[in-house]
Amino acid sequence: MKKQYLTYAALALLLAPLHQLAAQEQPRRPECIAPAKPGGGFDLTCKLAQNGLKNAGLLKAPMRVTYMPGGVGAVAYNAVITQRSADYNNIVAFSSGSLLNIAQGKFGRYDEKQVRWLAAIGTDYGSISVRADSPYQNLGDLINALKNDPKKVVFGAGGSIGGQDWMQTALIARAAGIDPKEMRYVAFEGGGETLTAMLGNHIHVTSSGIAEIAPQLEAKKIRILAVLADERLTGKLAQIPTAKEQGFDISWPVIRGFYVGPKVSDAQYSWWQQQFETMLASDDFAKLRAQRDLFPLNITGKDLDSLILKQVAQYRILAHEFGLIADEK
């Protein structure tokens, strides 16, 4: 009987789904890499996963958040592909800004097909903000000031020219009928630095994801002139007008999610995907996401991969329009 029992046990092991085997070997040192300095959207994204996975009891070991600034995601992207390609301890935060930079070739020789896109866990929206004591009361005031003298308004954002936050300011400039190259723009490494600079009155206006700056809104240190969404947001952000309702057809939704290295095995990838799908389906995570001023966007695996490819293609078109990349011959 003992010999027969062992045979059945061995057969069951051989027939077990790969994700069950991977669950027995889940990451011993789970890590979320935020590819910027602390305080911005990548940091927020990592900490949301860190807390969500912990609260749902989906990780045996605590997840740590580490920071790898440089090129608004480029350094982390290249490091994962070249140095950590098979390390499934690591997940890396990305946003629509990452995809925009990839579309322009800012991540070096690696394009959007070089990593395994894992999960999108929420959506943010672009926003245009000023200090609470700014003379600009609404988006129209800001655009009129740009029309009068674009050099008198100093914009700042996390990322260089061509980045996601710059693109939002470029859309504002276009709405004012001026060339974005005429704007005064100061690039920072992340949203935290940008906000500090604006509160210190070193810059006048910042563009960012609204989730990054909502805490400062509650503290009454800033005024959000417009959220770049098609309709007003819900909850505590419902009082913020959209650019569209102020007469400017500008919208910028922001995907927030994660990828893993290109050589992470199917079993290990499936394990992570399963954990995220379980987390995303929970009411507790929905509440946690709402507390961080993000909105639902639950996409994993192949569906996310398809969305990424489509989004990058759209960004390449937009980059051509603003002269950020040369026309293909």
Side-chain angles (χ1 to χ4, degrees):
M1 288 294 292
K2 185 175 181 180
K3 184 176 181 180
Q4 185 180 30
Y5 173 79
L6 289 174
T7 300
Y8 287 151
L11 181 61
L13 184 62
L14 289 172
L15 295 177
L18 286 176
H19 72 265
Q20 291 181 7
L21 297 182
Q24 298 171 13
E25 301 175 0
Q26 65 168 282
R28 296 179 181 179
R29 301 178 303 279
E31 174 186 8
C32 184
I33 298 174
K37 293 181 179 180
F42 291 137
D43 191 10
L44 180 151
T45 306
C46 273
K47 288 178 178 175
L48 185 57
Q50 179 189 50
N51 293 326
L53 292 168
K54 176 184 176 182
N55 294 347
L58 297 170
L59 289 174
K60 292 181 180 178
M63 173 181 281
R64 61 181 179 140
V65 176
T66 59
Y67 302 93
M68 193 180 292
V72 195
V75 170
Y77 200 76
N78 281 262
V80 167
I81 293 170
T82 60
Q83 302 169 25
R84 306 186 185 186
S85 62
D87 187 351
Y88 80 120
N89 286 284
N90 307 308
I91 61 172
V92 189
F94 80 90
S95 72
S96 297
S98 312
L99 306 181
L100 179 61
N101 282 349
I102 290 172
Q104 297 174 61
K106 290 187 174 183
F107 281 15
R109 68 179 187 271
Y110 300 117
D111 63 17
E112 66 276 17
K113 299 177 183 178
Q114 304 303 315
V115 298
R116 304 195 72 175
W117 303 100
L118 178 62
I121 63 170
T123 187
D124 196 0
Y125 290 93
S127 63
I128 306 298
S129 304
V130 295
R131 281 173 34 134
D133 59 358
S134 170
Y136 309 129
Q137 298 296 314
N138 52 54
L139 189 57
D141 288 346
L142 174 60
I143 287 180
N144 286 334
L146 284 171
K147 288 179 178 179
N148 291 332
D149 188 352
K151 297 299 183 183
K152 285 189 176 181
V153 182
V154 182
F155 286 86
S160 60
I161 291 177
Q164 171 173 256
D165 292 336
W166 177 88
M167 187 65 76
Q168 295 173 34
T169 66
L171 292 170
I172 296 296
R174 187 163 70 177
I178 65 173
D179 187 336
K181 296 177 182 178
E182 296 181 23
M183 293 190 307
R184 293 179 63 189
Y185 177 82
V186 181
F188 296 89
E189 179 57 40
E193 286 186 352
T194 308
L195 185 59
T196 298
M198 187 174 74
L199 293 177
N201 207 29
H202 301 296
I203 59 174
H204 304 137
V205 187
T206 184
S207 63
S208 64
I210 198 167
E212 297 179 50
I213 57 171
Q216 299 300 326
L217 179 66
E218 295 176 21
K220 298 182 179 180
K221 293 184 177 181
I222 66 169
R223 179 185 305 121
I224 302 178
L225 301 182
V227 60
L228 307 184
D230 290 335
E231 298 178 351
R232 284 207 182 198
L233 305 180
T234 57
K236 60 186 178 183
L237 301 176
Q239 78 276 16
I240 302 170
T242 66
K244 288 190 173 184
E245 71 183 77
Q246 297 179 71
F248 306 99
D249 189 13
I250 305 171
S251 180
W252 194 274
V254 181
I255 301 171
R256 296 210 176 273
F258 305 94
Y259 64 84
V260 295
K263 294 183 181 179
V264 168
S265 72
D266 289 344
Q268 294 163 346
Y269 178 90
S270 294
W271 183 88
W272 273 115
Q273 182 180 358
Q274 185 181 34
Q275 309 320 303
F276 272 104
E277 288 178 350
T278 301
M279 182 190 79
L280 290 168
S282 71
D283 292 337
D284 287 342
F285 179 75
K287 294 176 182 177
L288 186 65
R289 178 170 53 197
Q291 290 170 2
R292 302 297 194 279
D293 299 302
L294 292 178
F295 297 85
L297 182 65
N298 302 340
I299 307 176
T300 67
K302 292 182 179 180
D303 290 338
L304 178 61
D305 194 63
S306 297
L307 175 62
I308 296 298
L309 296 179
K310 179 180 178 181
Q311 190 73 77
V312 172
Q314 292 174 343
Y315 285 153
R316 285 198 177 99
I317 295 172
L318 187 62
H320 279 295
E321 291 178 3
F322 280 99
L324 298 172
I325 52 179
D327 293 331
E328 295 181 1
K329 295 181 179 180

